[in-house]
């Protein structure tokens, strides 16, 4: 008989019929955590005491599904803009209660897509480097499937699935516009806007006449959004033609710039033109 409590109680199965094949008896009881057996021994003449020298029980452990403890996809919108991110290193942690060999499949989709696209379905390692230059820009989610099919018959194989938080694939830098708004004998004032389609901005700086870069902050003092406005002054330069370049960096590491060319004659601005990005 069998049951799921260490000590037999009313929830255990009833005793099976007696089995006479001592070499290959199969227990006719439900699958459970515990098994109890009872032997009835007799001797032919009733004079000798029967002996049991060994009992061998073979059993099959019920296959349990794998468990995925962690699925990590870097979020470029939380980056510091150090370098463009053309590859995403996806990593995960999974275990199998039966210590079966696990294989993994990765799928991806945008939230508005109705079906998943298979990225890989034969992975054995716990990480994968995804070349995101091969997919359109936008917001994505990734699904990881862990399967123990390599260690079990097809009908007994089990799987576990885990879906990532949404993350951004971004390959374009912000759009930057720059304009000269005021000038006097002491300074020249500029205004600028930077707008990124997907990621927040993390840095901006300007250079005058190919000089050193000077950091500039948004009007609200914080880089916390894909769109930022800037207003800054530079000391009035000497007479002549001058160029100012403003560059902005998003959290995915993409840089864009805009430049402005103007001429000072005495203390008057003669021309001002934005020459390109």
């Amino acid at each position: 008989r069998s049951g799921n409590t260490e000590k037999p109680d009313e929830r255990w199965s009833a005793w099976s019929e007696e089995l006479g094949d001592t070499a290959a008896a199969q227990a006719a009881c439900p699958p459970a955590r515990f098994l109890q057996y009872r032997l009835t021994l007799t001797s032919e003449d009733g004079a000798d005491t029967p002996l049991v020298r060994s009992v061998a029980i073979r059993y099959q452990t019920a296959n349990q599904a794998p468990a995925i403890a962690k699925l990590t996809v870097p979020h470029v919108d939380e980056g510091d803009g150090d370098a463009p991110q053309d590859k995403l290193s996806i990593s995960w942690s999974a275990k199998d209660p039966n210590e079966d060999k696990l294989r993994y499949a990765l799928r991806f989709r945008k939230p508005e897509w109705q079906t998943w696209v298979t990225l890989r379905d034969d992975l054995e390692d716990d990480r994968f480097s995804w070349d995101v230059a091969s997919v359109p820009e936008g917001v994505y989610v990734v699904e990881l499937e862990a399967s123990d099919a390599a260690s079990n018959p097809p009908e007994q194989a089990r799987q576990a699935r885990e879906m990532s938080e949404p993350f951004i694939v971004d390959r374009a830098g912000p759009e930057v516009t720059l304009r000269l708004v005021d000038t006097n004998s002491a300074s020249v004032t500029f205004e600028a806007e930077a707008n990124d389609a997907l990621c927040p901005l993390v840095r901006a700086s300007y250079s005058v006449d190919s000089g050193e870069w000077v950091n500039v902050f948004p009007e609200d003092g914080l880089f916390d959004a894909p769109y930022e406005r800037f207003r800054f002054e530079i000391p009035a330069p000497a007479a002549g033609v001058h160029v100012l370049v403003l560059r902005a960096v998003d959290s995915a590491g993409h840089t864009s710039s805009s430049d402005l060319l103007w001429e000072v004659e005495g203390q008057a601005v003669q021309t001002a033109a934005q020459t390109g990005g």
Side-chain angles (χ1 to χ4, degrees):
R1 63 179 179 174
S2 60
N4 289 308
T5 57
E6 189 170 355
K7 292 183 178 181
D9 57 21
E10 68 278 1
R11 291 169 292 180
W12 275 54
S13 68
W15 287 105
S16 69
E17 296 294 330
E18 290 190 355
L19 306 174
D21 186 352
T22 60
Q26 184 170 352
C29 57
R33 292 181 60 199
F34 299 95
L35 175 72
Q36 187 179 47
Y37 61 87
R38 180 177 65 191
L39 302 180
T40 301
L41 308 177
T42 60
S43 61
E44 292 182 356
D45 57 10
D48 299 322
T49 302
L51 297 177
V52 178
R53 298 192 180 277
S54 66
V55 175
I57 300 174
R58 289 174 173 79
Y59 63 94
Q60 182 178 13
T61 302
N63 189 32
Q64 301 180 61
I68 299 174
K70 180 176 65 174
L71 173 60
T72 303
V73 181
H75 285 224
V76 297
D77 58 337
E78 298 176 355
D80 55 12
D82 284 343
Q85 196 166 23
D86 294 328
K87 292 184 180 294
L88 288 182
S89 181
I90 304 172
S91 61
W92 55 88
S93 174
K95 291 184 178 180
D96 188 88
N98 307 104
E99 299 185 357
D100 291 336
K101 180 179 180 61
L102 295 179
R103 287 199 173 100
Y104 306 98
L106 282 173
R107 305 178 183 93
F108 68 91
R109 67 178 176 90
K110 291 185 175 183
E112 64 269 23
W113 295 356
Q114 298 301 311
T115 57
W116 293 95
V117 177
T118 299
L119 181 60
R120 292 289 187 277
D121 60 3
D122 56 353
L123 299 171
E124 296 185 2
D125 295 332
D126 58 1
R127 62 188 60 249
F128 178 75
S129 181
W130 183 17
D131 181 9
V132 292
S134 61
V135 295
E137 291 184 318
V139 178
Y140 286 87
V141 289
V142 162
E143 181 186 65
L144 173 71
E145 179 185 280
S147 172
D148 62 6
S151 300
N152 292 279
E155 67 276 6
Q156 295 183 19
R158 303 288 297 275
Q159 298 82 32
R161 293 181 177 88
E162 183 73 18
M163 190 167 67
S164 73
E165 294 293 327
F167 60 92
I168 293 173
V169 172
D170 182 20
R171 288 193 298 278
E175 180 181 349
V176 182
T177 59
L178 176 66
R179 57 189 175 273
L180 188 154
V181 295
D182 189 28
T183 182
N184 56 51
S185 60
S187 64
V188 181
T189 302
F190 298 89
E191 289 182 348
E193 297 177 353
N195 188 24
D196 192 270
L198 294 169
C199 295
L201 304 177
V202 294
R203 285 197 302 275
S205 55
Y206 67 84
S207 171
V208 179
D209 296 339
S210 194
E212 293 186 0
W213 290 98
V214 179
N215 290 330
V216 60
F217 285 87
E219 288 185 329
D220 62 4
L222 292 174
F223 287 101
D224 59 356
Y227 172 79
E228 300 287 2
R229 291 173 53 90
F230 305 88
R231 184 181 176 92
F232 57 95
E233 295 181 353
I234 66 169
V241 176
H242 303 279
V243 62
L244 183 142
V245 177
L246 176 74
R247 67 183 181 186
V249 185
D250 66 19
S251 61
H254 301 110
T255 301
S256 297
S257 65
S258 182
D259 54 82
L260 196 65
L261 185 71
W262 80 101
E263 182 177 2
V264 177
E265 186 175 321
Q267 296 298 326
V269 175
Q270 299 299 317
T271 59
Q274 190 163 321
T275 64

